[in-house]
Amino acid sequence: MLRFCHWRFPPSHAAARMLSSPPLPHSHSTFSGVGENSSSNVGNSKPELLFPQSQPHNLSSSSSSSSPPSLKSTVAFSNAGAIRQNMATNSQYFSSRQEAICSDLSSLVVVSFYKFADFPDHADLRKPLKDLCEELRVSGGIILAPEGINGSICGSRESVERVLAFIQRDVRLNGLRQVETPVSPEQEAIHHGHSSSSPLAPGEDAPFRWDHVRVKLKKEIVTLGMPSVSPIERVGTYVSPEEWNELISDPETVVIDVRNTYETRIGKFKGAVDPCTTAFRHFPSWVEEQFALKQQGNKTEGVVEKEDKAEKPKTLPRIAMYCTGGIRCEKASSFLLSQGFGEVYHLKGGILKYLEEVPKTESLWEGECFVFDKRVSVEHGLAQGTHKLCYGCKQPISDEDMEAPEYEYGVSCPYCYSKKSEEEKERARARQTQFEEWGVIGGPDKGRRPATKPDSPRKSNEKLCSSI
């Protein structure tokens, strides 16, 4: 956590205060309250800096005295001038330094974090955590579950660090795995209030929405659907981004992308296997089929081919897996270890950490990385990607996809057009029209009580009877 220096006076005021302070007569010390001759300042616990000089020289009386000032006095004034110049320089330095610190603290950051832990009383954290985020105007989404915490939040650096510190006050959640991403000016505009170019309405769930955070209670912080798999008990071997290239370049290593199809479609590591899953809970069944962990009839499928009964089965290969931020790999590696895999490695910090630390010239990453917020995708150095989001299916789309006849802004894209009924498309068009007309989905009174309520038929009849 950052520590702050609190000035009693701003640097410029402090310098002026020190320069205007009169010297103590007959004092041999440069600080008041110090030394033997400081009785005139007894009780003052805040010493003031005094400039060394001899008997004060009255410039207004120079006409009455024809003698030139003494060498001692000239040197004193020279020293005082030099000190004034140094103080002015220091004042400018501290002022600019303070401005830089304030600017850094007020700049927006996105932090993704998670921690697997034994957390049965997770529900108790929901309200105080949500209240703190709303107070500090930190936006995003956080999941609490008996197995730990998972979230992605956006806000000023100071506010985000306060939220993370609050979470880690619980010793079980101390040591969160974090990935930090800077925020562009356009994303700042989205965070502080939707810009005209943003098609997401305030009711949508987006980490960059201003003053909006969702803290949800779930069974798992990442859904695999297998309660017996616990990264708390065992997990694969972490591999740093610097060592990742060497591992996946080994022909004996099987590299697996643990993400879903809509994510792998826009980018993945060179030579990686795509399981083509639409949800993380489908990963275990893919592993069982791919590596023939189950017999299906009289055949075995996948990497391990059918062998004679006398022969020993082939050993399972070395596995290197990766995902966006590392959380899915924690569970996936734990699952593979439970299935008998001996060597299971996963990328520490996920793709985001790799793109942040590994130069593009040395990278084995191809394409862009999908992220679950309004950035949609990022490139090397975590720079803003080129993909947009289809607000009909929430999948990433390229400029070429937006030129396809199936694409309709806010309604459909080539990846969801055939899966949507005409009724669903009409509802999407109505939703988009509401946003374009009122700036909010649901109409201008969304979330507000009507100013006046129309009288019910029963009340109208009662009024009519009373008037007769």
Side-chain angles (χ1 to χ4, degrees), residues 254-258 273-277 281-293 302-303 319 321 335-336:
V254 177
V255 185
I256 302 177
D257 194 322
V258 186
V273 177
D274 181 6
C276 297
T277 56
R281 62 179 175 272
H282 300 154
F283 180 74
S285 59
W286 176 83
V287 171
E288 292 171 353
E289 294 176 2
Q290 180 70 15
F291 296 99
L293 300 181
V303 174
I319 300 294
M321 58 177 58
F335 168 72
L336 290 184

Side-chain angles (χ1 to χ4, degrees), residues 154-360:
C154 176
S156 67
R157 181 178 297 278
E158 180 182 7
S159 297
V160 168
E161 288 184 348
R162 284 183 61 183
V163 171
L164 296 177
F166 175 78
I167 294 172
Q168 294 181 96
R169 283 168 53 183
D170 191 315
V171 293
R172 296 168 296 180
L173 302 180
N174 195 16
L176 292 173
R177 296 193 176 276
Q178 306 174 30
V179 177
E180 179 182 313
T181 307
V183 178
S184 68
E186 170 63 19
Q187 293 158 2
E188 288 207 24
I190 295 174
H191 178 86
H192 290 301
H194 285 276
S195 63
S196 58
S197 61
S198 171
L200 279 186
E204 298 290 341
D205 184 16
F208 290 116
R209 181 179 159 206
W210 169 80
D211 198 20
H212 179 77
V213 64
R214 289 188 178 182
V215 182
K216 298 182 179 180
L217 302 179
K218 291 191 173 183
K219 295 180 180 179
E220 301 175 80
I221 59 176
V222 56
T223 306
L224 185 64
M226 301 183 70
S228 59
V229 175
S230 175
I232 303 173
E233 298 177 1
R234 58 178 174 177
V235 73
T237 304
Y238 298 102
V239 180
S240 66
E242 295 79 11
E243 301 171 327
W244 181 251
N245 285 356
E246 182 180 355
L247 174 64
I248 67 175
S249 298
D250 189 333
E252 298 298 320
T253 302
V254 177
V255 185
I256 302 177
D257 194 322
V258 186
R259 302 173 303 155
N260 299 317
T261 306
Y262 62 89
E263 300 171 84
T264 60
R265 175 166 50 81
I266 69 172
K268 63 178 184 177
F269 279 105
K270 185 177 181 180
V273 177
D274 181 6
C276 297
T277 56
T278 57
F280 184 51
R281 62 179 175 272
H282 300 154
F283 180 74
S285 59
W286 176 83
V287 171
E288 292 171 353
E289 294 176 2
Q290 180 70 15
F291 296 99
L293 300 181
K294 282 185 177 181
Q295 295 285 339
Q296 299 189 5
N298 295 325
K299 299 180 180 179
T300 57
E301 299 177 359
V303 174
V304 182
E305 299 176 353
K306 185 178 179 180
E307 302 183 34
D308 295 335
K309 294 181 180 180
E311 296 180 4
K312 293 183 179 180
K314 291 183 179 179
T315 57
L316 294 170
R318 179 196 305 130
I319 300 294
M321 58 177 58
Y322 65 90
C323 57
T324 306
I327 185 170
R328 281 178 279 190
C329 287
E330 298 258 5
K331 272 202 169 180
S333 64
S334 181
F335 168 72
L336 290 184
L337 290 172
S338 70
Q339 298 299 306
F341 287 81
E343 292 185 85
V344 182
Y345 302 89
H346 50 113
L347 178 58
K348 187 176 182 179
I351 304 167
L352 295 178
K353 202 66 177 176
Y354 182 92
L355 294 179
E356 178 186 359
E357 296 185 356
V358 177
K360 187 175 181 179

